[in-house]
Structure formats: C-alpha cells, structure tokens
Amino acid sequence: MDRFVTRNEKKTGDSAPAEKTKTDSRPNHQKGQPKRKYDEAYLALGFTAGVVGADERPVCVLCLKTLAADSMRPNKLRQHLETKHPKHMNKPLDFFQRKLSEYRQQESRMVKSTSVNKNAQMASFKVAYRIAHCKKPHTIAEQLILPAALDMVSVMLDETSAAKLKTIPLSNDTVAKRICDISNDLEDQLVEKLRDTRFALQVDEATVSNQDCLFISYVRFVCSESLREDLLFCKYVQTRATADELFKILDSYLTEHGLKWENCIGFCSDGAQTMAGKRKGLQALIKRVAPEAQWTHCVSQGSSGIKASQPRT
C-alpha cells in the first residue's frame, strides 16, 4: 500500500500541468495601441467629441450619432459624412460650427428640463402633504391651488415663471398616489425604529358612521432619549370584533413588518371584556407571546367613552 501511495505521489508530481499563460486575444493592430484623442480639425468633417464611460467618442453634429472609440480617425469620419450625409460634403466650417452650437444648446435644454422635472416632482409631494395634513379633497390641487399659484406668480413675477408651475403634476390620481407614498415612507421609518427598541401598545376598537368596525393601535417608544408616540395602524375588522380576531390582526401586522413580541413591554386598552379579559381577552392572548407586557386600563371620561389618556399623533 505504501508503494502504491508513493507511486501515485510521484506520478502526480511528474505529471503536474504547467501553468497556462494568458494570451492577448486582441488583433495585432490593437495591441499596445494608444487611444486616439479628438482633434478640433474633425469639426470640418461634422464631428465633435462626447464621453461614454471612460472613452472619448466622436459624435456627428448632423445626426447626433455616437460612433465607436476606434472611429476617431479622419478616414472613418469622412466615410460617415460621405455615406450618411452626402449633401453636406462641401459645406464650409461655419456650417458645422452652427450645428455644433445647436447641439450644445439642445444638451443644455435637456439638462434643464430634467432638473425642472425633479423640482416639479418635489413640489407635487409638498402640495400633496399639505392637502393630507389639512384633510382636504384631492381635487383641490388642480381646481384651486394650481390656478391660484399661477395667478400669483404671473402678477408678482412674470408669465415665464408662471408657465413653469404648469409642469407640476397635481391631478386627482397623482395627489392620491403621492399621499400613499408619503404614508408608506413614514410607516417604514417608524417600523425601522421599532425593530431595535422596546415599545408599548395602546389599542381600541371603534365603529364609524357607516357601521364599519376599525381596529386602531398606537405605539409608544423611546427615541433619542425621549418618549415618542405615533399611530401604528388602523385596519378594518372584516368579521366580528372578538379577541381572537383582533389578536390575529395585531400579530399579523407585527410579523409582516419584522417586529418581535418580546420587545413589547406594555399594553393599554379599555375595560371591555374583549380587551381586558384575563382568560380569553386580548390582554391574555398578548401575555402568552409577550410575558413581560404589563396591561394598564385606559381611563374613560364620564359616560361619553372618550379616552382621557388617548395618545396624540
């Protein structure tokens, strides 16, 4: 056996393949060839220079086509002019200079347009935020806010400045989408803060005017050494508002957003049996998954049912 192993080791050592060296697969005329740079004389052939990545490439001022980097040669540029633009073969240099000026103005307008679009989008978000904060209908942006802004800017400044406001998207559907985007972003920020800290919950079940049942939850937590309160969620109760159904809504929300029950150290509700029951109430179900959570009773004010300790948003 030893001789067999020794023989295999010798064969392995003798037959070890030599390390392959990498070969340059580029054509011979490209090996070691420096990159060509743009010459101002190429403008007489209808070409200026543009940068794509790290390469300087020729750009035709007539058709705005960008050629390959290896086309930065007078013969290839002349070939493009002869085949694509034969009518402009004998044009003077002034003609191509005017075309170059038009090309640069067009680039400037495109950059300016992109900047205006970004500013218009930001303005759209700010208007949508104010509409949501004031609880106004979404149509007010297109029917009142934008026309009033156009009137004020045209009087105080000029018509050109007022025309820029027309690029702000403020339709009914756009405002609704902006409000949803803002709401989702605020929720994501809140959930991100709750993932690494302990928190307490305050919940309530309410019925609105159209007889829909809502389950509302607030959260209280410490952020930057200060106590903060915020609305966690407000969801419809599709079936009967039992303790099991309310716990399913609360548990599914925490699980979906990656929040841990062991970080819950407090739970506050009213004295209804569905909420405060020690055996089958919501507080009992929460204590099974969050043993450290301490239940507190939310004090009511008289017979009106208004919670005196209801947190502020």
Side-chain angles (χ1 to χ4, degrees), residues 46-168:
F47 280 88
T48 184
V51 178
V52 179
D55 297 333
E56 191 177 36
R57 299 188 180 184
V59 180
C60 178
V61 297
L62 300 175
C63 62
L64 305 183
K65 182 178 180 179
T66 302
L67 304 186
D70 59 354
S71 297
M72 194 75 78
R73 301 164 178 266
N75 57 339
K76 291 190 176 183
L77 302 182
R78 186 178 293 104
Q79 181 182 2
H80 176 85
L81 182 62
E82 292 175 352
T83 56
K84 301 296 182 180
H85 315 286
K87 297 181 179 179
H88 303 294
M89 276 292 300
N90 300 319
K91 293 291 185 180
L93 181 61
D94 295 342
F95 172 79
F96 294 109
Q97 289 177 344
R98 289 196 302 269
K99 290 295 182 180
L100 177 60
S101 178
E102 294 175 2
Y103 167 71
R104 290 176 176 173
Q105 289 178 2
Q106 183 177 355
E107 276 190 328
S108 177
R109 287 194 297 268
M110 290 178 63
V111 173
K112 187 176 181 180
S113 176
T114 304
S115 177
V116 170
N117 290 338
K118 290 182 180 179
N119 294 336
Q121 187 177 15
M122 178 58 68
S124 177
F125 272 100
K126 288 182 175 291
V127 173
Y129 175 78
R130 291 190 176 274
I131 292 174
H133 190 266
C134 297
K135 301 180 178 66
K136 297 298 181 180
H138 301 165
T139 54
I140 194 174
E142 203 169 26
Q143 295 178 355
L144 178 61
I145 297 177
L146 183 58
L150 289 173
D151 293 339
M152 288 185 289
V153 174
S154 62
V155 172
M156 300 298 296
L157 299 177
D158 50 57
E159 294 292 340
T160 304
S161 300
K164 295 180 181 179
L165 299 182
K166 296 181 181 180
T167 62
I168 303 175

Side-chain angles (χ1 to χ4, degrees), residues 245-282:
E245 183 64 24
L246 298 181
F247 178 77
K248 288 180 181 178
I249 297 175
L250 185 58
D251 181 62
S252 63
Y253 182 88
L254 296 183
T255 303
E256 179 183 354
H257 292 83
L259 302 179
K260 301 177 181 179
W261 273 113
E262 50 263 32
N263 289 337
C264 180
I265 58 175
F267 172 70
C268 180
S269 68
D270 57 18
Q273 187 66 22
T274 302
M275 297 287 186
K278 292 184 179 180
R279 296 182 179 180
K280 297 183 179 180
L282 183 59

Side-chain angles (χ1 to χ4, degrees), residues 3-4 11 24 26 70 94 100 128 167 171 179 181 204:
R3 286 182 297 175
F4 176 77
K11 290 182 179 180
D24 194 347
R26 294 182 300 169
D70 59 354
D94 295 342
L100 177 60
T167 62
S171 65
I179 293 175
D181 292 340
D204 191 17

Side-chain angles (χ1 to χ4, degrees), residues 165-178:
L165 299 182
K166 296 181 181 180
T167 62
I168 303 175
L170 291 175
S171 65
N172 182 24
D173 294 338
T174 300
V175 171
K177 185 178 182 300
R178 295 284 189 264

